[in-house]
Amino acid sequence: MKDLIFEHCHRHFTDIVAIRRDIHRHPEIEFDVERTAGIAADALAALGIPVKTGIGRTGVVGDLEVAGATKRIALRADMDALPIQEQTDVPYKSMFDGKAHLCGHDAHTAMLIGTARILSELKSQLKVNIRFIFQPCEEAYPGGAVAMIADDVLDDVDEIYGIHVFPLYPVGKYATCVGPMLAQSDTFEITITGRGGHAAFPHLTVDPIIVGAQFVNTAQSVVSRNVNPLDSAVVSITQFHGGDAKNVIPPSVTLAGTVRTLDPKVQMCVRTQLENLLAGIAKAHDAQYTFAYQEGCPVTYNHEPCVDAVLRSTHELVGEENVMYPISPILGGEDFACYSQQIPACFVMVGAGNEQKGIVNMCHHPQFDIDETCMIYGMALTTSLSLMA
């Protein structure tokens, strides 16, 4: 079976690379993925797979039906890019300023198209029905998964699998774990209001920059002094805006950031302590504040039976020595979590890095890229999971 799967993956590889590069050149963000969705829909239709479009606004769903099958597994790929400026010199660089596929969703879409082609060719060996899910808006909350679930994308689905290219692991490696795999990713926005004035007369003002700076510096103690060192939590301040002139203390500043946790109790502790800290610092300076906290996607949870299926497939494909298991949970977030909260699921990292080629930058980095050979391994895994189910 291994040789057969890799033979098909290699045969489709050149075309799948071309699809990935075309999507990379034409990035689309959030729900505005009509061109990419059209590529996926056309690819499924060309295989004779019934296609539904407009699922979750702009998602695409195709069902490969197998006579006599009573079980259905779903394979999911996300389609959206990021609102980031790409800083690479690759020939397939983004054609649009401020939009780029710097998280690998172009590869995810291309790989799922490749898997659909392979499984159509090997349909006689399938014992389960396969649902191909091409999802918009993974990168923005509340995201495409919620919208697609609302449009019944999980109806009649028994298990769902998702993969993600990961350049911190080399090509040819897979990585996963049982239980929490990725973090709940919350965000917060803060406005601190003081009293503006002339920068030469700070004693006549309530300086919101001072208040904000003290909060930024002290916020890290929320994790280091309130969270058990054996638990996981991250607080990152990612925005700080205030002032328009060099000689004026502004009346207010705004801050924003993210909280990543794996446990609801830890999440609540961090959330509460952040606001307590802000309230204390603001009061000490006679400033006012607003604190808006948005709970994001929940923890991406891997169910043991699905992880077992992944381990059987990956061990067969690359050998146990090339499967990183169990990895420690990663504090990145993923709206695949929404599926994993509904039905048995497993999310898998597919190694995409290559130090010799300089492909080492993490997702969301302006110079992110993948060793495209990883797409062979991505297609091989989703094909194997389908054939072994």
Side-chain angles (χ1 to χ4, degrees), residues 296-324:
C297 294
V299 171
T300 300
Y301 191 89
N302 283 347
H303 298 253
E304 189 168 0
C306 296
V307 174
D308 288 343
V310 166
L311 294 177
R312 287 195 300 272
S313 287
T314 54
H315 290 173
E316 169 68 19
L317 292 171
V318 297
E320 187 174 353
E321 67 276 11
N322 289 308
V323 180
M324 304 169 68

Side-chain angles (χ1 to χ4, degrees), residues 67 92 138 166 177 215 239 244 250-251 279 284 328 345 387:
Y92 45 88
E138 189 279 323
F166 202 69
C177 65
F215 173 77
Q239 297 179 31
D244 299 302
S328 297
L387 292 172

